[in-house]
Amino acid sequence: MTESSLTPRDPAGLRAAMASAGLDTVRLARASGVTKQFLSLLLRGHRRCRPSTAQAIAEAIGKPVASLFTPLMFEDSNTEDVEPHMTTTPVLREEDPLLTFEEVAALARVPVKTLRHYRAIGKGPEFFPIGRRLKIRESKARAWIEQFENAPAE
């Protein structure tokens, strides 16, 4: 099953569109039916939103959705026999997308705590910081996971 999520094309551009419409974060949040906190995170690029939310924001600003947001497609993985603390793996449809620490843990189907432990003892994948977040290319994360598939059983 495929579900769609939208992210701002350019958070700075979204802020500029807000300003040109004479809206601040509080007014836009009220007009679009979201919280100020959610809108703040969306404007910083830390959150994605549903198409209906993007539509409400675009209508409040007076711009078309396509000029403010870009779709991300996610594929749900098989969730049978997955423990409740593990989520489905979001796979971005890009050439070689950047994944967060949490997305790599979900991709490897291990708890985030386990991935942090592997990283602490030098056996984890090689992440690099972007701002305050750790990122890794999907291809490198998959290569790290494959090394366990090819390793002899202990």
Side-chain angles (χ1 to χ4, degrees):
M1 174 180 213
T2 303
E3 74 181 63
S4 177
S5 184
L6 299 173
T7 188
R9 280 190 185 280
D10 174 25
L14 184 54
R15 275 194 191 279
M18 278 175 47
S20 69
L23 296 169
D24 62 5
T25 308
V26 173
R27 288 189 183 117
L28 180 57
R30 224 178 267 142
S32 57
V34 297
T35 65
K36 178 184 166 256
Q37 291 80 8
F38 174 79
L39 187 57
S40 177
L41 291 169
L42 186 69
L43 289 168
R44 287 185 278 155
H46 295 297
R47 288 288 181 270
R48 300 176 191 116
C49 64
R50 295 181 180 154
S52 58
T53 303
Q55 181 68 36
I57 291 170
E59 285 175 4
I61 293 175
K63 300 259 185 189
V65 174
S67 70
L68 300 173
F69 294 91
T70 185
L72 293 173
M73 300 302 288
F74 295 95
E75 296 174 0
D76 289 342
S77 347
N78 184 1
T79 57
E80 293 177 23
D81 301 317
V82 176
E83 295 179 30
H85 66 279
M86 296 181 184
T87 59
T88 59
T89 307
V91 180
L92 296 174
R93 291 187 184 187
E94 294 178 13
E95 184 89 15
D96 193 11
L98 293 174
L99 300 179
T100 64
F101 208 86
E102 293 77 14
E103 290 171 328
V104 174
L107 185 66
R109 294 189 179 262
V110 297
V112 172
K113 189 174 180 179
T114 301
L115 187 59
R116 288 191 196 290
H117 173 73
Y118 283 153
R119 187 165 182 269
I121 63 172
K123 292 186 177 182
E126 294 181 30
F127 286 88
F128 57 92
I130 294 183
R132 294 170 57 182
R133 305 275 313 211
L134 293 174
K135 303 284 185 170
I136 187 171
R137 291 281 174 197
E138 182 180 11
S139 60
K140 287 190 175 190
R142 289 188 184 279
W144 176 77
I145 292 167
E146 287 174 9
Q147 83 181 12
F148 291 103
E149 292 174 1
N150 301 329
E154 293 180 13

